């Protein structure tokens, strides 16, 4: 009976919807502190003349009669406001009013012109000006914090605040980006004035906290940052380094009659890990509790944001199940019944030659995947587009890079399949038409229509979670969020690149590599999922083993490129499973190829930087 239930598609469709609903309700309960914090989705035209989007968290204790301290928080480059969920959950439940912004060019905020990176503190200072005018915010207790380039936005904001008629920022907590150590002449200086300042400098940061000689050679690794002149000057309030000061220690000094704080933390973690590090979150909330006085006394290590991460991860799982289950359901409808296979041939048995071609093809594909990723990351024309270093028509450089790499591997897969067919498959009775590789133009267009309907329906679940609960589906850097309509056009821009890969990959998995291993097809699927992601897995492992041992990255393999592989690993593995399950219902590799390409394109552009020229 149990087996029969698990075989029924209606069960999986219902389960996917239940998981998405539980995800939205549970995540909302955590981020609203069981209804004691109001969450508002804001979008307004700022004094910088651009549209800024943000989530505003207002605890019930923040009133006109008892104004609360406020903190403006920001994500890093190529991310969005929800990446600060650990911080805004913990700050809000401690009584802080929190504004989590989408920096200009990110999330739902207006695209960022390449020559206006610092405008309005990339949006952060415009957010500061907003919260300073709220009647339930104490304007004398406003802090800012950001991760990576969000910390750079905080530094931009301090500079704007210094030039303002009235300073609004009283506390600054920088996470994984350099503080301002020196003046225009290169001399150590206190550019933060009387403000309290904290800094997190990871020992294994991929980008920052190194020192260099006059020729640009690295002198000290990030794990040695605490002993460098920059760090010591920071802890000495901009003075020349003197007596060695320690990390995790609060230092105070009276500046212009005001007692100010400096503190440095150097956790043994990487740059992308900090936003979901319980230690970094504890350091952040303790800093703002000390400097702005949290209305609700809660121990820094008493954290609940992990529950929100659990619930949003359930939504990701539900979304993935929905893609398959809803596709199966539509195949039973009159509109798409023509795509339903009347019978799918069982997975083939592979002899010793078949095993040789199977394993050999997988190894070669994984090797090409790893090699081409590094090779492309070293091509100056592509990196210039990726990092918006030159004028170009590409709106989302990071997604374009991943798309080019995907397309390269799609073409490589086609070459491998052609060789495999003519040198082995045809001689051993493989008939491509029987395996669905030539469905005809009508069925091909029908397949695209099915993929489109499923994609729209699936992201409809994301929209409902956002509309009713102000949550999304995510786990760390793997995220599905709702988006403004301009993201649809950006998705169409990169969709052809992803189509080349995911269609070729689906054909390779299902037409050329569908065998039984040890008599089991599921084992074949698992192996294919692993090898789909094996190239990126090897690159990430090599990068961080090297970093741990030597204190720095692999020469020629930039840190951002290994970071971008974290979500790619999961996407490639999961897409293989989705592809196989849909193929078994359709005997058609194109439905899953189109579907995976569409979902990944929309998912990618809605979670990255949009920059214009």
């Amino acid at each position: 009976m149990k087996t029969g239930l698990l075989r029924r598609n209606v069960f999986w469709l219902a389960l996917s919807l239940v998981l998405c609903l539980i995800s939205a309700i549970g995540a909302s309960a955590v981020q609203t502190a069981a209804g004691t914090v109001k969450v508002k989705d804001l979008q307004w035209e700022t004094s910088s003349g651009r549209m800024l989007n943000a989530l505003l968290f207002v605890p019930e204790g923040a009133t006109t009669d008892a104004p609360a301290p406020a903190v403006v928080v920001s994500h890093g480059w190529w991310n969005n406001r929800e990446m600060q969920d650990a911080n805004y959950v913990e700050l809000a439940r401690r009584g802080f009013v929190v504004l989590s912004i989408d920096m200009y060019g990110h999330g739902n905020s207006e695209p960022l012109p390449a020559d206006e990176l610092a405008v309005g503190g990339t949006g952060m200072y415009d957010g500061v000006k907003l919260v300073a005018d709220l009647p339930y915010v104490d304007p004398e207790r406003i802090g800012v914090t950001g991760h990576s380039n969000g910390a750079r936005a905080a530094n931009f904001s301090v500079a704007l605040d210094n030039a303002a008629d009235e300073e609004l920022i009283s506390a600054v907590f920088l996470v994984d980006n350099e503080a301002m150590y020196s003046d225009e002449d290169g001399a150590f200086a206190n550019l933060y004035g009387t403000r309290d300042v904290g800094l997190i400098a990871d020992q294994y940061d991929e980008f920052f906290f190194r020192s260099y000689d006059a020729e640009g050679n690295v002198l000290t690794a990030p794990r040695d940052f605490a002993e460098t002149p920059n760090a010591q000057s920071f802890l000495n309030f901009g003075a020349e380094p003197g007596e060695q000061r320690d990390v995790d220690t609060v230092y105070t000094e009276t500046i212009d009659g005001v007692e100010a704080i400096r503190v440095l933390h150097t956790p043994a973690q990487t740059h992308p890990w900090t936003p979901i590090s319980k230690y970094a979150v504890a350091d952040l909330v303790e800093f703002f509790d000390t400097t702005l006085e949290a209305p609700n006394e809660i121990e820094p290590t008493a954290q609940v944001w992990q529950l929100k991460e659990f619930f949003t991860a359930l939504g990701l799982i539900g979304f993935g199940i929905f893609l398959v289950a809803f596709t199966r359901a539509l195949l039973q409808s009159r509109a798409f019944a023509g795509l339903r296979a009347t019978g799918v041939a069982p997975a083939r048995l592979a002899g010793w030659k078949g095993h040789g071609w199977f394993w050999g093809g997988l190894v070669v594909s994984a090797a090409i995947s790893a090699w081409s990723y590094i090779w492309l990351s070293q091509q100056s024309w592509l990196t210039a587009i990726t990092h918006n270093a030159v004028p170009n028509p590409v709106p989302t450089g990071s997604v374009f890079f991943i798309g080019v790499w995907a397309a390269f591997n799609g073409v490589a897969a086609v070459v491998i399949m052609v060789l495999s067919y003519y040198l082995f498959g045809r001689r051993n009775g493989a008939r491509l038409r029987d395996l669905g590789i030539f469905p005809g133009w009508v069925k091909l267009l029908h397949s695209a229509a099915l993929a489109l309907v499923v994609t729209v329906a699936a992201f409809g679940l994301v929209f409902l979670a956002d509309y009713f609960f102000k949550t999304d589906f995510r786990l760390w850097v793997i995220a599905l969020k709702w988006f403004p309509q301009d993201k649809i056009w950006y998705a169409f821009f990169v969709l052809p690149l992803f189509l080349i890969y995911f269609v070729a990959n689906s054909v390779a998995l299902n037409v050329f590599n569908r065998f039984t291993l040890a008599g089991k097809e599921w084992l074949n699927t698992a192996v294919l999922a692993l090898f789909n992601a094996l190239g990126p897995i090897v690159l990430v492992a090599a990068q961080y083993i090297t970093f741990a041992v030597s204190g720095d990255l692999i020469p020629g393999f930039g840190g951002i490129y290994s970071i971008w592989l974290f979500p790619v690993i999961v996407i490639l593995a999961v897409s293989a499973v989705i592809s196989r399950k849909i193929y078994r219902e359709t005997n058609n590799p194109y439905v899953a190829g189109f579907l995976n390409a569409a979902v990944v394109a929309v998912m990618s552009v809605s979670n990255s930087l949009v920059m214009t020229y």
Side-chain angles (χ1 to χ4, degrees):
M1 181 176 178
K2 181 178 179 182
T3 302
L5 179 64
L6 294 180
R7 290 183 179 274
R8 297 179 62 184
N9 188 60
V10 66
F11 167 79
W12 292 104
L13 184 58
L15 177 64
S16 70
L17 297 175
V18 169
L19 287 176
C20 289
L21 182 61
I22 292 174
S23 168
I25 293 174
S28 176
V30 176
Q31 74 177 11
T32 62
T36 63
V37 175
K38 291 183 179 179
V39 183
K40 303 178 182 180
D41 196 338
L42 306 183
Q43 186 167 11
W44 73 102
E45 185 172 357
T46 68
S47 58
S48 297
R50 300 199 168 277
M51 297 299 294
L52 188 67
N53 186 274
L55 289 173
L56 178 66
F57 298 82
V58 185
E60 61 182 6
T63 65
T64 303
D65 295 330
V71 181
V72 179
V73 303
S74 176
H75 56 85
W77 224 231
W78 295 297
N79 288 137
N80 48 60
R81 64 191 187 182
E82 288 83 6
M83 279 294 289
Q84 284 288 300
D85 60 353
N87 292 329
Y88 60 61
V89 164
E90 295 305 329
L91 288 169
R93 64 190 286 258
R94 286 165 172 77
F96 293 93
V97 173
V98 186
L99 187 74
S100 183
I101 67 167
D102 278 328
M103 285 192 291
Y104 292 130
H106 298 79
N108 300 344
S109 290
E110 189 171 335
L112 180 66
D115 59 348
E116 296 186 20
L117 298 183
V119 65
T122 323
M124 177 176 279
Y125 197 60
D126 289 327
V128 169
K129 289 188 285 187
L130 174 79
V131 298
D133 283 338
L134 296 176
Y136 44 82
V137 167
D138 182 353
E140 301 296 321
R141 293 189 291 164
I142 296 177
V144 295
T145 182
H147 174 251
S148 189
N149 275 352
R152 181 179 70 163
N155 283 331
F156 287 157
S157 298
V158 169
L160 292 171
D161 202 41
N162 286 338
D165 294 334
E166 180 182 1
E167 292 185 356
L168 300 174
I169 301 171
S170 60
V172 183
F173 196 76
L174 307 169
V175 181
D176 291 353
N177 205 332
E178 305 283 0
M180 297 184 291
Y181 309 113
S182 56
D183 58 22
E184 295 179 355
D185 298 323
F188 287 120
N190 174 24
L191 302 180
Y192 297 98
T194 61
R195 299 178 185 87
D196 300 315
V197 189
L199 173 62
I200 288 182
D202 292 329
Q203 293 183 29
Y204 298 98
D205 193 285
E206 291 87 340
F207 312 109
F208 305 108
F209 311 115
R210 294 160 176 80
S211 61
Y212 305 86
D213 63 18
E215 285 72 40
N217 301 308
V218 176
L219 295 176
T220 58
R223 59 191 180 192
D224 302 317
F225 173 72
E227 301 171 2
T228 65
N230 280 346
Q232 289 301 309
S233 176
F234 171 78
L235 290 174
N236 279 276
F237 296 80
E240 287 287 338
E243 181 181 348
Q244 184 83 8
R245 291 194 166 184
D246 300 323
V247 300
D248 302 323
T249 303
V250 175
Y251 293 96
T252 61
E253 186 171 310
T254 301
I255 302 173
D256 296 334
V258 177
E259 186 175 76
I261 284 174
R262 297 291 183 271
V263 61
L264 170 65
H265 304 286
T266 58
Q269 59 195 29
T270 65
H271 187 95
W273 187 253
T274 309
I276 59 168
S277 162
K278 64 179 181 180
Y279 305 108
V281 173
D283 289 336
L284 183 144
V285 297
E286 183 175 31
F287 173 81
F288 285 117
D289 186 12
T290 301
T291 59
L292 303 180
E293 299 181 9
N296 304 330
E297 293 187 9
I298 302 175
E299 285 295 316
T301 54
Q303 302 171 16
V304 300
W305 63 268
Q306 295 92 338
L307 286 174
K308 181 175 185 286
E309 201 78 6
F310 167 78
F311 282 117
T312 55
L314 283 184
L316 273 180
I317 296 171
F319 184 93
I321 295 173
F322 181 84
L323 291 177
V324 175
F326 192 61
T327 300
R328 287 173 171 170
L330 288 180
L331 289 171
Q332 304 304 315
S333 69
R334 179 179 299 179
F336 296 104
L339 293 173
R340 187 172 69 246
T342 55
V344 179
R348 291 167 288 167
L349 297 173
W352 68 270
K353 287 185 178 180
H355 274 288
W357 277 97
F358 175 75
W359 292 105
L362 293 184
V363 171
V364 170
S365 296
I368 291 174
S369 173
W371 167 81
S372 62
Y373 191 82
I374 294 181
W375 179 73
L376 287 170
S377 75
Q378 296 171 340
Q379 302 307 301
S380 58
W381 68 270
L382 183 55
T383 57
I385 294 174
T386 301
H387 299 284
N388 308 105
V390 296
N392 66 82
V394 177
T396 53
S398 59
V399 180
F400 181 73
F401 175 84
I402 297 296
V404 170
W405 171 63
F408 184 98
N409 281 270
V411 172
V414 171
V415 172
I416 293 172
M417 286 186 285
V418 170
L419 292 174
S420 171
Y421 177 69
Y422 283 104
L423 297 178
F424 171 73
R426 188 170 64 171
R427 299 176 181 179
N428 289 271
R431 297 292 179 264
L432 297 183
R433 188 173 296 278
D434 295 340
L435 297 172
I437 199 171
F438 299 123
W441 286 107
V442 173
K443 187 165 285 189
L444 198 64
L445 293 174
H446 208 186
S447 301
L450 175 57
L452 176 63
V453 173
V454 175
T455 301
V456 171
F459 278 96
L461 298 178
V462 181
F463 166 76
L464 292 174
D466 176 84
Y467 185 82
F468 289 106
F469 301 99
K470 292 294 174 281
T471 65
D472 58 10
F473 305 144
R474 67 176 53 236
L475 177 63
W476 190 26
V477 291
I478 308 163
L480 290 159
K481 72 184 298 293
W482 190 240
F483 48 84
Q485 65 182 25
D486 62 335
K487 298 296 191 296
I488 297 174
W489 309 116
Y490 301 144
F492 276 120
F493 187 94
V494 297
L495 180 60
L497 297 171
F498 288 114
L499 280 171
I500 293 171
Y501 172 76
F502 282 107
V503 170
N505 185 250
S506 184
V507 172
L509 295 178
N510 298 304
V511 176
F512 287 86
N513 290 306
R514 185 167 171 253
F515 300 104
T516 57
L517 295 178
K520 299 177 177 62
E521 185 181 349
W522 70 262
L523 186 57
N524 169 261
T525 304
V527 168
L528 291 170
L530 172 62
F531 272 85
N532 244 19
L534 187 59
I537 290 172
V538 170
L539 290 180
V540 169
Q543 181 80 292
Y544 289 98
I545 290 172
T546 301
F547 203 178
V549 173
S550 70
D552 218 334
L553 305 172
I554 296 174
F557 187 22
I560 191 61
Y561 295 102
S562 54
I563 290 172
W564 284 343
L565 287 176
F566 292 137
V568 168
I569 288 171
V570 177
I571 289 170
L572 291 180
V574 171
S575 68
V577 176
I578 291 173
S579 179
R580 173 58 57 83
K581 288 188 173 296
I582 292 177
Y583 178 80
R584 284 171 57 86
E585 302 293 325
T586 61
N587 199 45
N588 177 342
Y590 299 101
V591 176
F594 294 153
L595 178 61
N596 284 328
V599 169
V600 171
V602 175
M603 178 182 181
S604 300
V605 299
S606 58
N607 282 284
S608 190
L609 167 68
V610 176
M611 187 169 285
T612 60
Y613 281 88

